Amino acid sequence: MVSFENVTKTFSSRETGKSAFKALDNVTYTVPRGVITGIIGRSGAGKSTLVRLVNGLERPSEGRVIVDGTDVAALDEVALRSVRRSIGMIFQHFNLLSSRTVYDNVAMPLEIAGMGKQDIKKRIEPLIDLVGLSERTRHYPAQLSGGQKQRVGIARALASEPKLLLSDEATSALDPETTQQILGLLKTINRDLGLTVLLITHEMEVVKAVTSRVAVMDKGQIVESGRTFDVFTAPEHETTRSMLAALPGGSLPDWIGRQVIADPKPGCTALLRLRFFGETADQPLVSRLMTVLGSPVNIIAGTVDEIAGEPYGTLYVAYSADPAVMRKADQFYAQTGLNAEVVGYVA
């Protein structure tokens, strides 16, 4: 649906006209049709620049941006306006007109396109119902909550029947409960309308909850990409691992972390991170581990969750670092397929 081919974007200094900042550095990536793809990274990683290239708000310094078979950067303004009608956009701060009602805000792109009032009504009313605002049709933005404003923004983005929906930090101004509601709405839109969604965010929880595929950005480059479940359960790049550590259960409690040493000493305890997924997710493997070891297993921290709809759990456990015990544990992990990693030792 969207392809970035060796895309570089450099912004020049206004004072000197010379190159000042490379926001994107030789990015090559394809967003597949019909799925929700997340682009994640810290502030300044290049995420928003990437999405602005898709709808032609920025043009690449090098490379091509292909949207549904069209090279966006090669279009003149007239042709670009036509392409933009096939691309919906939802924003972090809603961008609603305060003087227009819910209905009128959603209808605005169709009015600009010259559609007649009755055709607009036929298009808009089902969308307002889809986003759950049919009882708020005549309300103004000042009368709406943040979540309701974002629902208006989503309905407006869908008004032109786009093939692609861009979401740039659309949930970062919302509280956690409202965020989950908006993400649920995006999943419904993706499922029911078959819409391709490109979601830009710095929030790992958002990516975990709603995307099927993810690309991780750092310093203007895509440093890791793939199925969301695969990237989250087996991160390869340090940026990905660092961002995943912010998730609940993603890292050790501080009081334990301060005690961890790198190498074992006589009588110390081994500290391990166990990852449960696939066939291991719903099996009583920890209780079986204790039986096999014949030694106590102390549960330090953990969480059980879903990533892209697939069950996944992380558990930090500690047990004797005696070599005989460690060998039994390694054999158990090999037999069961349980992912285990020694993260250190506690004296």
Side-chain angles (χ1 to χ4, degrees):
M1 181 65 186
V2 181
S3 294
F4 302 94
E5 299 177 357
N6 305 112
V7 172
T8 294
K9 177 62 180 179
T10 304
F11 291 97
S12 300
S13 169
R14 292 182 179 178
E15 289 77 14
T16 65
K18 296 180 180 179
S19 296
F21 174 64
K22 185 178 286 187
L24 298 174
D25 185 8
N26 196 33
V27 171
T28 295
Y29 183 68
T30 298
V31 178
R33 187 182 302 274
V35 304
I36 303 178
T37 298
I39 305 290
I40 191 162
R42 301 185 181 94
S43 297
K47 309 183 301 296
S48 292
T49 300
L50 196 71
V51 78
R52 288 172 65 85
L53 293 175
V54 176
N55 56 15
L57 294 176
E58 298 285 354
R59 294 179 184 263
S61 304
E62 299 176 26
R64 301 199 308 163
V65 180
I66 309 298
V67 179
D68 201 25
T70 300
D71 183 354
V72 175
L75 301 177
D76 60 24
E77 284 301 318
V78 174
L80 189 56
R81 282 197 293 271
S82 176
V83 169
R84 283 175 178 158
R85 284 194 288 271
S86 69
I87 303 173
M89 183 82 184
I90 53 178
F91 304 90
Q92 178 180 359
H93 297 298
F94 321 128
N95 291 2
L96 304 181
L97 294 180
S98 61
S99 60
R100 295 175 69 100
T101 64
V102 167
Y103 181 94
D104 292 334
N105 266 286
V106 177
M108 185 173 62
L110 302 182
E111 293 175 1
I112 294 172
M115 184 178 286
K117 288 185 177 180
Q118 289 303 313
D119 290 331
I120 289 176
K121 183 177 180 180
K122 291 178 183 178
R123 177 83 60 84
I124 294 305
E125 288 184 345
L127 289 177
I128 293 176
D129 184 55
L130 174 67
V131 300
L133 291 177
S134 55
E135 296 182 359
R136 301 271 180 169
T137 303
R138 296 302 170 190
H139 285 61
Y140 290 87
Q143 300 170 294
L144 305 176
S145 67
Q148 290 169 335
K149 291 176 184 177
Q150 195 56 283
R151 289 171 182 269
V152 177
I154 292 172
R156 181 184 58 192
L158 297 175
S160 59
E161 297 183 332
K163 300 175 182 178
L164 171 67
L165 182 63
L166 306 179
S167 169
D168 190 3
E169 300 284 6
T171 61
S172 60
L174 305 175
D175 62 78
E177 182 179 357
T178 306
T179 292
Q180 291 304 311
Q181 294 171 357
I182 295 300
L183 294 179
L185 177 58
L186 290 178
K187 290 173 71 174
T188 298
I189 290 168
N190 168 251
R191 182 190 67 231
D192 293 352
L193 303 182
L195 198 62
T196 303
V197 181
L198 181 57
L199 189 149
I200 308 299
T201 184
H202 66 277
E203 300 173 286
M204 298 300 275
E205 283 281 4
V206 169
V207 174
K208 176 173 68 70
V210 75
T211 68
S212 299
R213 303 191 67 83
V214 64
V216 182
M217 293 197 69
D218 185 47
K219 299 176 182 177
Q221 297 180 323
I222 291 180
V223 295
E224 187 165 2
S225 64
R227 292 177 65 242
T228 302
F229 188 85
D230 296 337
V231 171
F232 273 50
T233 55
E236 296 180 356
H237 196 272
E238 179 56 35
T239 297
T240 314
R241 291 194 291 268
S242 177
M243 296 185 74
L244 285 170
L247 291 173
S251 60
L252 280 169
D254 288 342
W255 65 274
I256 286 290
R258 288 191 294 268
Q259 303 177 52
V260 174
I261 57 177
D263 300 310
K265 294 182 178 180
C268 72
T269 297
L271 187 62
L272 290 92
R273 177 170 51 236
L274 308 182
R275 291 192 176 99
F276 302 81
F277 49 86
E279 294 182 355
T280 66
D282 58 358
Q283 297 182 25
L285 294 178
V286 174
S287 61
R288 289 172 55 190
L289 175 63
M290 287 189 284
T291 301
V292 168
L293 297 185
S295 175
V297 176
N298 187 20
I299 297 176
I300 306 298
T303 183
V304 178
D305 208 338
E306 284 188 353
I307 298 174
E310 299 182 51
Y312 173 75
T314 301
L315 198 63
Y316 287 92
V317 300
Y319 50 75
S320 171
D322 178 88
V325 173
M326 297 292 284
R327 283 195 297 273
K328 289 181 182 178
D330 288 342
Q331 291 172 357
F332 177 78
Y333 301 142
Q335 292 169 358
T336 60
L338 183 60
N339 184 292
E341 177 187 0
V342 177
V343 296
Y345 301 88
V346 179

